[in-house]
Coordinates of all heavy atoms in Angstrom, one line a residue:
M295 N 112.5 -108.3 -15.0 CA 111.9 -107.3 -15.8 C 112.4 -106.0 -15.4 O 112.7 -105.8 -14.3 CB 110.4 -107.3 -15.6 CG 109.6 -108.4 -16.4 SD 107.8 -107.9 -16.6 CE 107.2 -108.2 -15.0
K298 N 109.7 -99.6 -15.1 CA 109.4 -98.4 -16.0 C 110.2 -97.2 -15.5 O 110.7 -96.5 -16.4 CB 108.0 -98.1 -16.0 CG 107.1 -99.2 -16.7 CD 105.6 -99.0 -16.6 CE 105.2 -97.7 -17.3 NZ 103.7 -97.6 -17.2
F301 N 113.9 -96.9 -9.1 CA 113.5 -96.7 -7.8 C 114.6 -96.5 -6.9 O 115.5 -97.3 -6.8 CB 112.6 -97.9 -7.3 CG 112.0 -97.7 -5.9 CD1 110.8 -97.0 -5.9 CD2 112.5 -98.2 -4.8 CE1 110.2 -96.9 -4.7 CE2 112.0 -98.0 -3.6 CZ 110.8 -97.3 -3.5
T339 N 117.0 -107.1 3.2 CA 117.2 -108.2 4.1 C 118.4 -108.9 3.7 O 119.0 -108.7 2.6 CB 116.0 -109.1 4.3 OG1 115.9 -109.9 3.2 CG2 114.8 -108.3 4.6
S346 N 117.3 -117.4 -1.8 CA 115.9 -118.0 -1.8 C 115.8 -119.2 -2.7 O 115.1 -120.2 -2.3 CB 114.9 -116.9 -2.2 OG 114.9 -115.8 -1.3
I355 N 111.4 -127.3 -0.3 CA 110.6 -128.3 -1.1 C 110.9 -129.8 -0.6 O 109.9 -130.5 -0.5 CB 110.8 -128.2 -2.6 CG1 110.3 -126.7 -3.1 CG2 110.2 -129.3 -3.4 CD1 110.6 -126.4 -4.5
N360 N 108.0 -135.2 3.3 CA 107.8 -136.0 4.5 C 106.8 -135.3 5.4 O 106.6 -135.8 6.6 CB 109.0 -136.3 5.3 CG 110.0 -137.1 4.4 OD1 109.6 -138.0 3.7 ND2 111.3 -136.8 4.2
F373 N 108.3 -125.4 8.1 CA 109.4 -124.7 7.6 C 110.2 -124.1 8.7 O 111.4 -123.8 8.5 CB 108.9 -123.4 6.7 CG 108.2 -123.9 5.4 CD1 107.4 -123.0 4.7 CD2 108.4 -125.2 4.9 CE1 106.7 -123.5 3.6 CE2 107.7 -125.6 3.7 CZ 106.9 -124.6 3.1
F376 N 113.9 -124.7 9.7 CA 115.0 -124.0 9.1 C 114.9 -122.6 9.6 O 113.9 -121.9 9.5 CB 115.2 -124.0 7.6 CG 115.1 -125.4 7.1 CD1 114.0 -125.8 6.3 CD2 116.0 -126.3 7.3 CE1 113.8 -127.2 5.9 CE2 116.0 -127.6 6.8 CZ 115.0 -128.1 6.1
R377 N 116.0 -121.9 10.1 CA 115.9 -120.5 10.6 C 115.9 -119.5 9.5 O 116.4 -119.5 8.4 CB 117.1 -120.3 11.5 CG 117.2 -121.2 12.7 CD 118.3 -120.8 13.7 NE 118.2 -121.6 14.8 CZ 119.1 -121.5 15.9 NH1 120.0 -120.6 15.8 NH2 119.0 -122.3 17.0
S385 N 107.3 -117.5 -0.2 CA 106.9 -117.7 -1.6 C 106.2 -119.0 -1.7 O 105.3 -119.2 -2.5 CB 108.3 -117.7 -2.5 OG 109.1 -118.8 -2.1
L402 N 90.7 -115.8 -2.2 CA 91.8 -115.9 -1.1 C 91.4 -114.8 0.0 O 91.6 -115.1 1.2 CB 93.1 -115.6 -1.7 CG 94.3 -115.5 -0.7 CD1 94.4 -116.9 0.0 CD2 95.6 -115.1 -1.4
I458 N 107.4 -80.4 -0.3 CA 106.2 -81.3 -0.6 C 105.0 -80.7 0.1 O 103.9 -80.6 -0.5 CB 106.4 -82.7 -0.3 CG1 107.5 -83.3 -1.2 CG2 105.1 -83.4 -0.4 CD1 108.0 -84.7 -0.8
R459 N 105.2 -80.3 1.4 CA 104.1 -79.8 2.2 C 103.6 -78.4 1.6 O 102.4 -78.1 1.6 CB 104.5 -79.6 3.7 CG 104.0 -80.7 4.5 CD 102.6 -80.7 4.7 NE 102.1 -81.9 5.6 CZ 101.5 -82.9 5.0 NH1 101.1 -82.8 3.7 NH2 101.1 -84.0 5.7
F461 N 103.5 -77.6 -1.5 CA 102.7 -77.9 -2.6 C 101.4 -78.6 -2.3 O 100.4 -78.4 -3.0 CB 103.5 -78.7 -3.7 CG 104.4 -77.9 -4.6 CD1 105.7 -77.3 -4.0 CD2 104.0 -77.4 -5.9 CE1 106.5 -76.6 -5.0 CE2 104.8 -76.7 -6.7 CZ 106.1 -76.3 -6.2
N472 N 114.3 -96.2 6.1 CA 115.2 -97.4 5.7 C 116.4 -97.4 6.6 O 117.6 -97.6 6.1 CB 115.6 -97.4 4.3 CG 114.4 -97.9 3.4 OD1 114.0 -97.2 2.5 ND2 113.9 -99.1 3.6
H482 N 117.1 -83.8 15.5 CA 116.8 -83.6 14.0 C 115.6 -84.2 13.6 O 114.7 -83.6 12.9 CB 118.0 -84.3 13.3 CG 118.0 -84.3 11.8 ND1 118.6 -83.2 11.2 CD2 117.3 -84.9 10.8 CE1 118.3 -83.3 9.7 NE2 117.5 -84.4 9.6
P516 N 104.1 -90.7 14.8 CA 104.2 -92.2 15.0 C 105.2 -92.8 14.3 O 105.6 -92.5 13.2 CB 102.8 -92.7 14.5 CG 101.8 -91.6 14.4 CD 102.8 -90.3 14.2
I517 N 105.9 -93.7 15.0 CA 106.9 -94.6 14.4 C 106.3 -95.9 13.8 O 105.5 -96.5 14.5 CB 108.1 -95.0 15.4 CG1 108.9 -93.8 15.7 CG2 109.0 -96.2 14.8 CD1 110.0 -94.0 16.7
I540 N 102.6 -98.1 14.8 CA 102.1 -98.7 13.6 C 103.1 -99.8 13.1 O 104.3 -99.6 13.3 CB 102.1 -97.5 12.5 CG1 101.1 -96.4 12.9 CG2 101.6 -98.2 11.1 CD1 101.2 -95.2 12.0
G549 N 107.4 -114.2 6.5 CA 107.5 -115.6 6.2 C 106.2 -116.2 5.8 O 106.1 -117.4 5.7
I578 N 101.7 -111.5 -8.9 CA 101.2 -112.6 -8.1 C 101.4 -112.1 -6.7 O 100.4 -112.3 -5.8 CB 102.1 -113.8 -8.4 CG1 101.7 -114.4 -9.8 CG2 101.8 -115.0 -7.3 CD1 102.6 -115.5 -10.2
F592 N 93.5 -103.3 8.5 CA 94.4 -102.6 7.6 C 93.7 -101.1 7.4 O 93.0 -101.0 6.4 CB 94.6 -103.3 6.3 CG 95.6 -104.4 6.5 CD1 95.3 -105.7 7.0 CD2 97.0 -104.2 6.3 CE1 96.1 -106.8 7.1 CE2 97.8 -105.3 6.5 CZ 97.5 -106.5 6.9
I598 N 100.2 -100.7 -2.3 CA 99.7 -101.6 -3.4 C 99.1 -100.8 -4.5 O 98.2 -100.1 -4.4 CB 98.6 -102.4 -2.9 CG1 98.9 -103.2 -1.6 CG2 98.1 -103.5 -3.9 CD1 97.8 -104.0 -0.8
V623 N 89.0 -105.8 -4.8 CA 89.3 -107.1 -4.3 C 88.6 -108.2 -5.2 O 87.4 -108.2 -5.2 CB 89.0 -107.3 -2.8 CG1 89.5 -108.7 -2.3 CG2 89.6 -106.2 -2.0
K645 N 113.6 -122.3 -15.7 CA 112.4 -122.9 -15.2 C 112.8 -124.3 -14.8 O 113.5 -125.1 -15.5 CB 111.4 -123.0 -16.3 CG 110.1 -123.8 -15.9 CD 109.2 -123.7 -17.2 CE 107.9 -124.6 -16.9 NZ 107.0 -124.6 -18.0
L650 N 107.0 -134.1 -6.3 CA 106.9 -134.5 -4.9 C 106.3 -136.0 -4.9 O 106.5 -136.7 -4.0 CB 105.9 -133.6 -4.2 CG 106.7 -132.5 -3.3 CD1 107.4 -131.6 -4.1 CD2 105.7 -131.8 -2.3

Side-chain angles (χ1 to χ4, degrees):
M295 281 202 286
K298 289 173 70 173
F301 184 82
T339 71
S346 290
I355 293 174
N360 299 317
F373 297 158
F376 310 110
R377 295 187 178 181
S385 65
L402 180 60
I458 292 172
R459 265 286 172 253
F461 276 82
N472 288 118
H482 183 92
I517 288 175
I540 302 169
I578 291 170
F592 286 86
I598 309 173
V623 179
K645 176 182 177 181
L650 260 65

